[in-house]
Amino acid sequence: MTPAPQTRDPLTPPLLDAQGRTMTYLRLSVTDRCNFRCTYCSPASWGGKKDLLEPGEFERIVSVFARMGIRRVRLTGGEPLIRPDILEVAGRIAAVSGVERVAITTNASHLERLALPLREAGVSQLNISLDTLSEATFRSISKQGDFASILKGIDAAAGAGYASLKLNVVVMRGVNDAEVPALVSYAHARGMTPRFIELMPFGQGTPVPTAELVERLQATGLELAAEEEQQSAATAGPARYWRAPRGLVGFISPLTQNFCGGCNRVRVASNGDLRSCLGGRAQAPLHALIRGGATDTELALAIRGALGEKPEGHRFTEPGAGASLLSMMGIGG
Ligand code: SAM
Ligand code: SF4
């Protein structure tokens, strides 16, 4: 008699996508609401929705992913720190067995109050967004953000003992591209790694290619040595790094240096839908499944099903790409 075929437990690692890439990193959007509404990120009409998932539901989703091989979790949004229960969300996720690192991407507006409690809750890394050192330029990017609170929040984070602090800058031609050297100095003076991001087509603005920024920095006399592959592999992220005298300088270049080949990340949007790719639409309704009483095995099967459709890469550079994308606010970058 032929033995019955062994069916693999869907909860057992590795978590592979359709291209055979192993997923170890989860980006979790904990809200699609934001107190800044930056022009390049937030559609003018975007109102944001009521936060749907409870802390226990995030914990459940993360624990299923952790059983499947996810080791790092990033909380993002919208602005994650406007959730009143963010300390509970972060703490519960940091305590999930198998999760090695919890990071947050934030606009820093609530960090003066939260930098230390978040670290105590188990968050070890912060990526902070700051596009300009000029209040007037900031005002042209965000009508409603509070510029002073960002600077205070960054200083609080710099003094709170995080293992890693990065400063994310989305570069827009004619808006903040001239400030790139000053932003490098600002970040390095606070022990942060600046990272310059090519603008993706989610909102307004004109991108500046990474190569041009590197040339500009070198033209100011800054010595930059390519650090590249080693560092990229270590962080398993899309950034490529150069070494400057006072620290690293990173570039994230979705338009000119496609980073999809080494993608190890999976996203859950603020409504609880798994999104297999920032630039795609394959998804699984994890929140609805949880509310419907799904078992961990059923959740794992849904996750594997959506990842089975994960595309090879995004198509941001194709004409009209922006129109077909899901909102950055809901997916969380
Ligand atoms: N509110 C938080 C913040 O601003 O850091 C987290 C969410 S935000 C969507 C995550 C990251 O996406 C930020 O670093 C932001 O600068 C980046 N981002 C938003 N829109 C972008 C765009 N059109 N192109 C490139 N990066 C973008
Ligand atoms: Fe809000 Fe961050 Fe998007 Fe700016 S980049 S609108 S702060 S979510």
Side-chain angles (χ1 to χ4, degrees), residues 5 49 55 67 91 103 105-106 108 125 127 138 144 151 194 230 277 290 297 303 308:
K49 303 189 189 79
R67 287 176 69 183
T105 304
T106 173
Q125 306 186 334
N127 285 6
F138 174 74
Q144 57 199 74
L151 302 184
Q230 214 183 349
C277 175
I290 287 177
T297 301
I303 290 167

Side-chain angles (χ1 to χ4, degrees), residues 31-42 76-80 105-109 129 131 138 141-142 170 328-329 332:
T31 181
D32 66 354
R33 293 177 301 121
C34 184
N35 53 343
F36 276 18
R37 310 270 300 274
C38 307
T39 47
Y40 52 74
C41 173
S42 162
T76 176
E79 174 46 43
T105 304
T106 173
N107 64 26
S109 57
S129 301
D131 302 319
F138 174 74
I141 297 169
S142 166
V170 177
M328 178 68 112
M329 300 284 290

Side-chain angles (χ1 to χ4, degrees), residues 5 18 34 47 60-61 63 68 128 138 140 182-183 195 200 208 225 231-232 245 252 267 273 277 283 290 329-330:
C34 184
R60 171 92 191 280
I61 288 174
S63 68
M68 300 174 82
I128 296 175
F138 174 74
S140 74
L183 284 159
R195 306 195 308 171
M200 294 182 276
V208 181
Q231 181 74 17
S232 287
I252 301 178
R267 295 177 159 81
D273 284 352
C277 175
Q283 56 191 53
I290 287 177
M329 300 284 290

Side-chain angles (χ1 to χ4, degrees), residues 76-263:
T76 176
E79 174 46 43
L81 304 194
I82 65 173
R83 270 193 81 115
D85 56 5
I86 188 65
L87 287 174
E88 182 184 354
V89 172
R92 281 188 182 224
I93 290 172
V96 167
S97 168
V99 170
E100 292 165 3
R101 268 186 279 171
V102 178
I104 295 187
T105 304
T106 173
N107 64 26
S109 57
H110 289 277
L111 272 183
E112 188 181 15
R113 178 174 53 89
L114 288 174
L116 203 52
L118 281 170
R119 195 180 58 69
E120 287 165 356
V123 177
S124 60
Q125 306 186 334
L126 292 179
N127 285 6
I128 296 175
S129 301
L130 177 72
D131 302 319
T132 176
L133 298 169
S134 145
E135 180 154 14
T137 305
F138 174 74
R139 195 56 59 218
S140 74
I141 297 169
S142 166
K143 290 212 167 26
Q144 57 199 74
D146 174 6
F147 188 64
S149 72
I150 306 177
L151 302 184
K152 283 188 210 153
I154 291 175
D155 286 338
Y162 280 90
S164 161
L165 284 177
K166 300 202 176 90
L167 192 80
N168 283 351
V169 182
V170 177
V171 185
M172 292 157 280
R173 192 173 298 287
V175 177
N176 63 344
D177 50 344
E179 288 191 66
V180 166
L183 284 159
V184 170
S185 304
Y186 174 89
H188 284 167
R190 287 161 181 78
M192 307 172 85
T193 300
R195 306 195 308 171
F196 298 98
I197 307 174
E198 284 177 349
L199 180 75
M200 294 182 276
F202 288 94
Q204 298 167 20
T206 308
V208 181
T210 288
E212 186 179 322
L213 295 181
V214 172
E215 267 174 37
R216 263 199 214 194
L217 280 170
Q218 287 170 329
T220 65
L222 188 73
E223 284 173 34
L224 285 177
E227 179 95 347
E228 294 209 50
E229 304 309 335
Q230 214 183 349
Q231 181 74 17
S232 287
T235 57
R240 291 183 169 89
Y241 290 90
W242 297 66
R243 182 160 290 285
R246 296 183 67 193
L248 296 174
V249 181
F251 297 90
I252 301 178
S253 321
L255 306 183
T256 61
Q257 295 170 327
N258 188 302
F259 48 60
C260 300
C263 183

Side-chain angles (χ1 to χ4, degrees), residues 10 68 296-306:
M68 300 174 82
D296 283 3
T297 301
E298 285 163 344
L299 288 173
L301 283 170
I303 290 167
R304 288 196 189 274

